């Protein structure tokens, strides 16, 4: 990428993270109500640390580290790059303050801009830049979903932005799109010059039996029928570990659903609202997606089916759980060094989600993109599309 | 199957379970040192309950239940068949005594034999019999591995049977067997009349890239090299959750390995022995199998690669971890009713193992057989074969 | 004590432990359903180890240890005497078998008898003998209560001995016994030559205000009134940590009470019985004793009040919770060496119980005897007597 | 108390809480690094809620509650007054913001001031005021110690106030003060008109044997000798549960001690400092106090000995652990209604501390004052004085 284009992309990305945080109070930046949610100030610091650690420290001559303690505070899971604050302790840190984190951000942004203006960027370094930028875009989505968790689990249920729109109504009726059996190409073509993660490679062929896939996502109305028919009480619909999970956690509805005076409501980033029955269901675990499909005598698509069929339907409002486990593609090669910790080390006990969501940053997702989460997690904008 | 043949198979299977337990002391039948291990008397009772619940109670006229409380005590995970003692509490029950459990066994065995001598067995009922028999064969393997856990975690390290042979030395040198790319059939042909589980069906085609697979299992010597080279200390070889696991559990070697006066020993069912360096490695988790392969710059085969290549090598001494997650095959249909809880409900967060082990009962495994365990478990006779 | 008398006392004590176990099945000896309960075979081994460790090994010339591994298996909490199996793991050991434990017992008993017949016992050694014998008497009570826990938490609720009598009916009506204020002597007089524990010394003076103490224990009828009046639901009656406890453990009645068809039953060592309303209440925690007294606008006596008043009433059927914390008396001196670990190291966060119970061994308790348990424990034959 | 004096005392108390918080950053107000520490904004809100709940809502005509949700957020342990946020979740709440909490505070302060200016205060109401004021003074001490925990467990170790003085050097040499045996009065005289808690009453007589008590607190130098002599490694010095605690928590020094380049440092509210060897030891648990005394062949005083001897020495720099358990005095009566939850419900499994500390608010403590904490807690300014 040309320096000028890269500079613009970098600046826009940095600004977007800050824009997402603009409605927050200082206090909202600090807390960590549960292990898998990070404090917003941590996201802001961590994405800066990434550029400092992998670009400025290694490539900018005479670079002066902003504060040597910040590496410890803002490293996340890069085990091979020094010590780190463990994930469950991120919410214990009142310092550095939000203002100091913004100062750190500003410093790193300026240093990177100066660097980009003054240096020719090699292809290798360009690819680290791309990773840094897409890494920050990923954290932008986490910022939104973590903010939703922080505000949506506060008994006062404060809104983040009264104009935020989470739901788009799907007015079309259900249709089954047919795909014939055949040998299909999956993954990123080698000839592609766009940015993509290592986990999307290598392109390879997969044989698929013929299948049908739904033209639309499951709606809140569909799922309400499942709830009302006793879906959460019928053990035969659930995986064994799913049943243990819902029993222990007392799960009886999607996350953020509240039954108030016998009417279902949903906490959204715009505040508490009555359920929109035509909107696509969201904030369900893989376990719930699977049980719903069982109840319908249907199933989830595999990630391969999804990728092959995706041109036939609209997607991008919900991350769509697939039946596929997150595994390496044939000929998968993880990156060298610390950046190799990006994807490969999570390839066990996670499920692939495909598509993207209303929280996904612009130009971040694509048809070969493989998102992944543990099957019990629900705080992302997850949804499901049926197959048979 | 003809009644006569079925009767013989049934009797042999029942006797085999009792033969496995014959070296035990009464006390060994009772304890449960860890959640995933069950007391031997529970296995003996549970396999009997299975025949009582699914055959005698439902099909034998005027059948008199041996003891109505036993259903509660010996039900395992069949959530749809009444209440049950939860898995972690099985070791809290001193009653029924071992003698009473044997009486219960004898009663059920006799009732089934009488039933088989007097009734024509329909095809449907025959298939329940087959499940009952293969279910008991599965528990025979668990009996052996649970007994090994019980005795092998006792500080006195008592032997189970001084003549028991766990290890076969593989004298051949490593060779890479090549398999060309192509579309291969996987799973049990519909025309097969042999017993098989629902999870092996339906037969379907899978496209495989060309690959190489090792002609032999990884040996203790190979793994010792990994240990000595600091494999357990190199975070980059491990999955993120594997690293958490080995840190928390302080894992530094396979299960049952003991370093005594600087020499590695291995607890076997024949007692404590010096490590046999040429024997195939065993009692490792999937995490360890994966890390070892990473260290070699190689990988584990998928279950499809294994199945396609299995005629090229010897197998059956170790359950071989594969890279594949345990997922339903296309067109998978689970059985109706309680027996439907047999396989499908475990199809999340587990890894497939292929082959069989020295603890597997005769005629129980086959080339399409799919065993599965959580990736951290090591008390089975697990091993690994490399691919590239 | 004279050798002959000591020998007789020793033999009787050893026999009594075995007599307590005579109704057991082998399986009952092995299990540990909860941390604070030990397997009966462990009690039998541990009391033998005590004599081996503190007498035979140290005082008998050329004594041959029965099995060097048994010290590890049967040491309990004597941190200063080598390693030990941690308490929560005692139920994981199937070996040594019950028969081997009896052989070990027999060996130790014979060796001690031979020793007593051949050696003059110094005063110091006599006092170790006394501790060993009273230590075994303590374990006899634990044997009974642990057996009750093992059988009483088995879903089959087997009886231990159909003729065992737990309850004595108290027919007398409630009377308040008055004790005037004054300076009273508490603890064991220095002139006493009877065996007593270090925690009963030194005798000292305590000033007591005048008080009243009940002539009888609280009965099942009294406690049923408390239950029926909503005592378990009224937070103001409970200590803060007691409320957390009963909420977490879902406590709504004393241990071993079962509500069957709207009628309260009680598991006793003679099996399940309808509640005997006139019998003294038992199997309650200190928390419950305290809440009951609060509900009555009364209180528990202190251990000093109890000791001063004990000649005015009958006692010995239930261990009576007192309001007193278990603390050292003035001038308390703990024994030298490992035996010093007997009492003093438990003097924090425990409550004193006075009296004795139907499970207490003959000649084991006395008016100065101080029993102690954590306030939440209920598996002993605990009860309460009110004061004001 | 006269309205005018009460008003002044009330205002001063309110201002003092805010003054304590004045060096904080907004972020410091929000977090809860461990269950027993509360976020500073919670302390500010809770002490306001106390006045609103127990005075304004009940006694001020037409009082308008500031925000009905705040009762839920800022109630602490008053189980009888509606629902509450559980203690472990206090740090999950970013809202209400710090500014909103200050607005709430201001509102309550003004309403109380208006109330005091307009109404005659009955004796009963005056006593509720006194409780409210002393309750806030207690929280002032907790504010300081919680702030110390929050900053002192941040890897950046920020100072709270560079001029804050925690340590006063005790230059006097150790002397043993003798107190003769006798009958002593303990607790608050009935004739006292000063504010005191219910737990200091009723005054009663206690007989004490003659004893010696140290004229000074144990110093850092004394304790360093204990550490260097292997005190933390000698099991015989410790209570059984203390040993479990220090093993599990890996305790090897008082809280806030850091060994940096072989030199002991101490985090103080003024930042990290080298240990002041002559200063009184602080931030130790009761367990450590006890083990230290054992090592010295001495003991801790009882709370009665302390109270009888306190006029012979200086006190007020450290809360002094005593050997006494926190128990009700004879004739103890807890207050009616919700205020009755103040003290009595904690009278189990806690130890009494006497004196006061450098963090204690002015005029808050006195010679009969009984502070209490669980024996493992160390974040208060605890210390110890020896007796024999």
């Amino acid at each position: 990428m040309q320096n000028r284009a890269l500079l613009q992309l970098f600046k826009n990305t940095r600004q977007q993270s800050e824009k997402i945080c603009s409605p927050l109070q200082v206090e909202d930046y600090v807390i960590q109500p549960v292990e898998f949610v990070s404090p917003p100030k941590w996201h802001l610091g961590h994405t800066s640390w990434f550029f400092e650690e992998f670009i400025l420290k290694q490539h900018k001559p005479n670079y002066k580290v902003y504060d040597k303690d910040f590496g410890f505070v803002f490293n996340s899971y890069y085990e091979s790059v020094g010590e780190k604050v463990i994930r469950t302790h991120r919410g214990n840190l009142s310092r550095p303050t939000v203002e100091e984190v913004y100062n750190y951000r500003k410093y790193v942004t300026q240093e990177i801009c100066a660097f980009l203006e003054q240096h020719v960027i090699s292809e290798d370094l360009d690819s680290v830049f791309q990773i840094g930028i897409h890494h920050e875009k990923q954290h932008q989505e986490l910022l939104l979903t973590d903010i939703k968790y922080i505000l949506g689990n506060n008994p006062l249920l404060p809104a983040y932005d009264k104009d935020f729109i989470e739901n788009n109504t799907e007015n079309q009726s259900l249709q089954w799109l047919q795909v014939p059996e055949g040998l299909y190409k999956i993954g990123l073509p080698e000839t592609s010059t766009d940015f993509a993660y290592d986990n999307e490679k290598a392109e390879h062929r997969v044989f698929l039996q013929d299948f049908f896939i739904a033209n639309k996502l499951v709606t809140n109305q569909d799922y309400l029928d499942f709830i009302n028919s006793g879906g959460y009480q019928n053990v035969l619909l659930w995986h064994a570990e799913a049943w243990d999970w819902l029993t222990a956690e007392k799960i009886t509805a999607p996350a953020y659903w509240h039954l108030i005076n016998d009417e279902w409501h949903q906490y959204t980033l715009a505040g508490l609202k009555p359920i929109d029955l035509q909107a696509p269901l969201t904030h369900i675990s893989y376990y719930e997606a699977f049980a719903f499909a069982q109840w319908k005598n249907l199933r989830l698509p595999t990630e391969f089916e999804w990728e092959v069929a995706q041109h036939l339907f609209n997607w991008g409002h919900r991350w769509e759980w697939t039946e596929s486990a997150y595994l390496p593609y044939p000929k998968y090669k993880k990156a060298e060094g610390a950046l190799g910790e990006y994807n490969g080390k999570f390839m066990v006990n996670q499920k692939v989600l495909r598509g993207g969501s209303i929280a996904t940053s612009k130009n971040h997702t694509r048809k070969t993109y493989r998102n992944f989460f543990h099957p019990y997690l629900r705080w992302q904008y997850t949804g499901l599309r049926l197959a048979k």
Side-chain angles (χ1 to χ4, degrees), chain A residues 355-371:
Chain A
S357 85
I358 48 101
T360 309
S361 287
K362 221 170 106 182
N363 295 329
H364 182 61
T365 191
R366 61 202 152 265
K367 68 177 183 178
T368 58
Y369 193 99
R370 306 173 78 201
N371 201 353

Side-chain angles (χ1 to χ4, degrees), chain A residues 2 32 38 60 77 87 96 142 148 159 172 193 195 210 225 239 283 288 304-305 333 343 345 353 359 362 379:
Chain A
Q2 280 198 312
Q32 179 179 38
S38 294
K60 186 164 188 195
Y77 49 77
R87 185 178 253 234
L142 291 171
K148 182 166 181 178
Q172 49 183 338
T193 56
F195 174 79
D210 70 302
D225 294 344
H239 285 109
H283 295 304
E288 289 162 300
F304 312 113
E305 291 171 336
K333 284 262 178 289
N343 274 308
K345 74 179 185 178
L353 301 100
K362 221 170 106 182
W379 95 116

Side-chain angles (χ1 to χ4, degrees), chain A residues 290-335:
Chain A
F290 176 87
F292 176 83
Q294 286 274 304
W295 177 69
K296 284 285 202 188
N297 276 315
L298 297 166
R299 62 179 179 82
L300 306 187
T302 66
E303 63 168 322
F304 312 113
E305 291 171 336
W306 189 95
E307 188 170 327
V308 164
Q310 54 77 34
H311 62 285
L312 302 173
F313 50 77
N314 293 320
W315 52 265
H317 289 94
R318 299 289 181 259
W319 283 107
E320 305 181 19
W321 286 111
T322 72
E323 186 53 51
S324 299
Y326 182 45
L327 294 173
Y329 282 172
K331 320 281 183 199
Y332 169 70
K333 284 262 178 289
K334 66 180 187 185

Side-chain angles (χ1 to χ4, degrees), chain A residues 171-285:
Chain A
N171 286 316
Q172 49 183 338
S173 58
L174 175 68
Q175 288 182 318
W176 289 104
L177 311 169
Q178 185 168 12
V179 178
E181 76 166 31
L183 211 47
Y184 291 95
K185 283 190 180 169
I186 294 294
L188 197 82
E190 262 181 67
T191 55
S192 167
T193 56
D194 295 343
F195 174 79
Y197 287 113
D198 56 6
N199 64 9
E200 303 168 50
K201 303 170 192 166
E203 192 190 35
H204 62 290
R205 282 170 289 168
V206 169
F207 179 79
L208 298 180
Q209 310 215 8
D210 70 302
F211 65 96
F212 294 86
I213 193 164
N215 65 325
K216 60 179 291 200
L217 294 168
V218 166
T219 64
N220 287 329
Q221 176 67 65
D222 297 333
Y223 202 76
L224 201 52
D225 294 344
F226 169 73
I227 295 177
N228 291 338
S229 80
Y232 281 99
Q233 288 77 48
N234 180 0
V235 65
L236 291 175
L237 301 175
W238 299 81
H239 285 109
E241 67 173 54
W243 189 253
D244 293 345
W245 167 78
L246 75 81
T247 306
E249 303 286 325
K250 300 190 180 66
I251 304 289
T252 58
Y256 300 119
W257 283 37
H258 298 268
L259 192 61
I260 301 172
N261 299 328
D262 284 331
E263 203 187 343
W264 282 106
H265 290 68
Q266 187 173 24
Y267 174 77
T268 73
L269 284 172
L272 193 70
K273 308 276 182 191
I275 288 281
D276 176 352
L277 292 172
Q278 299 320 308
L281 170 69
T282 190
H283 295 304
I284 48 156
S285 63

Side-chain angles (χ1 to χ4, degrees), chain A residues 21-283:
Chain A
C21 293
S22 60
L24 299 186
Q25 301 291 336
V26 171
E27 293 85 343
D28 301 327
Y29 283 92
V30 182
I31 71 171
Q32 179 179 38
V34 72
E35 185 186 346
F36 52 80
V37 162
S38 294
K41 75 169 181 170
W42 186 88
H43 287 295
L44 295 180
H46 169 67
T47 47
S48 303
W49 168 85
F50 193 99
F51 286 108
E52 185 176 60
E53 178 67 31
F54 294 112
I55 294 181
L56 293 171
K57 279 174 69 176
Q58 296 179 25
H59 299 283
K60 186 164 188 195
N62 305 316
Y63 175 69
K64 195 176 155 297
V65 164
Y66 184 78
D67 185 322
K68 72 177 168 42
D69 290 329
F70 283 22
F72 174 68
V73 172
F74 293 124
N75 183 359
S76 56
Y77 49 77
Y78 298 89
E79 301 272 356
S80 51
V81 190
E83 285 185 295
K84 60 188 172 85
V85 170
I86 56 173
R87 185 178 253 234
T88 45
H89 286 186
R90 286 177 193 163
N92 291 346
L93 302 183
S94 61
R95 312 289 180 91
T97 63
V98 173
E99 191 181 349
E100 286 170 302
V101 173
Y102 273 107
N103 288 341
Y104 173 47
R105 250 188 105 69
K106 196 171 167 186
Y107 177 82
V108 169
T109 299
Q110 286 173 344
E111 291 284 314
I112 289 279
C113 288
F115 179 72
L116 278 172
E117 280 159 6
Q118 292 155 16
H119 292 79
V120 179
I121 305 301
S122 70
E123 205 171 311
D124 274 7
L125 190 52
D126 180 71
S127 96
V128 180
F129 261 105
Q130 296 299 332
I131 288 181
I133 285 164
H134 283 274
H135 172 258
E136 182 145 351
K137 282 173 185 276
Q138 277 186 296
H139 278 278
Q140 286 165 3
E141 180 154 8
L142 291 171
L143 263 171
L144 268 174
T145 53
D146 288 2
I147 289 167
K148 182 166 181 178
Y149 196 97
I150 288 165
L151 300 178
N153 285 280
N154 187 305
L156 310 178
L157 293 177
Y160 160 74
D161 172 358
K162 291 205 181 296
D163 299 323
F164 195 95
I165 294 171
E166 288 191 352
N167 294 327
N168 63 311
T169 307
E170 297 214 32
N171 286 316
Q172 49 183 338
S173 58
L174 175 68
Q175 288 182 318
W176 289 104
L177 311 169
Q178 185 168 12
V179 178
E181 76 166 31
L183 211 47
Y184 291 95
K185 283 190 180 169
I186 294 294
L188 197 82
E190 262 181 67
T191 55
S192 167
T193 56
D194 295 343
F195 174 79
Y197 287 113
D198 56 6
N199 64 9
E200 303 168 50
K201 303 170 192 166
E203 192 190 35
H204 62 290
R205 282 170 289 168
V206 169
F207 179 79
L208 298 180
Q209 310 215 8
D210 70 302
F211 65 96
F212 294 86
I213 193 164
N215 65 325
K216 60 179 291 200
L217 294 168
V218 166
T219 64
N220 287 329
Q221 176 67 65
D222 297 333
Y223 202 76
L224 201 52
D225 294 344
F226 169 73
I227 295 177
N228 291 338
S229 80
Y232 281 99
Q233 288 77 48
N234 180 0
V235 65
L236 291 175
L237 301 175
W238 299 81
H239 285 109
E241 67 173 54
W243 189 253
D244 293 345
W245 167 78
L246 75 81
T247 306
E249 303 286 325
K250 300 190 180 66
I251 304 289
T252 58
Y256 300 119
W257 283 37
H258 298 268
L259 192 61
I260 301 172
N261 299 328
D262 284 331
E263 203 187 343
W264 282 106
H265 290 68
Q266 187 173 24
Y267 174 77
T268 73
L269 284 172
L272 193 70
K273 308 276 182 191
I275 288 281
D276 176 352
L277 292 172
Q278 299 320 308
L281 170 69
T282 190
H283 295 304

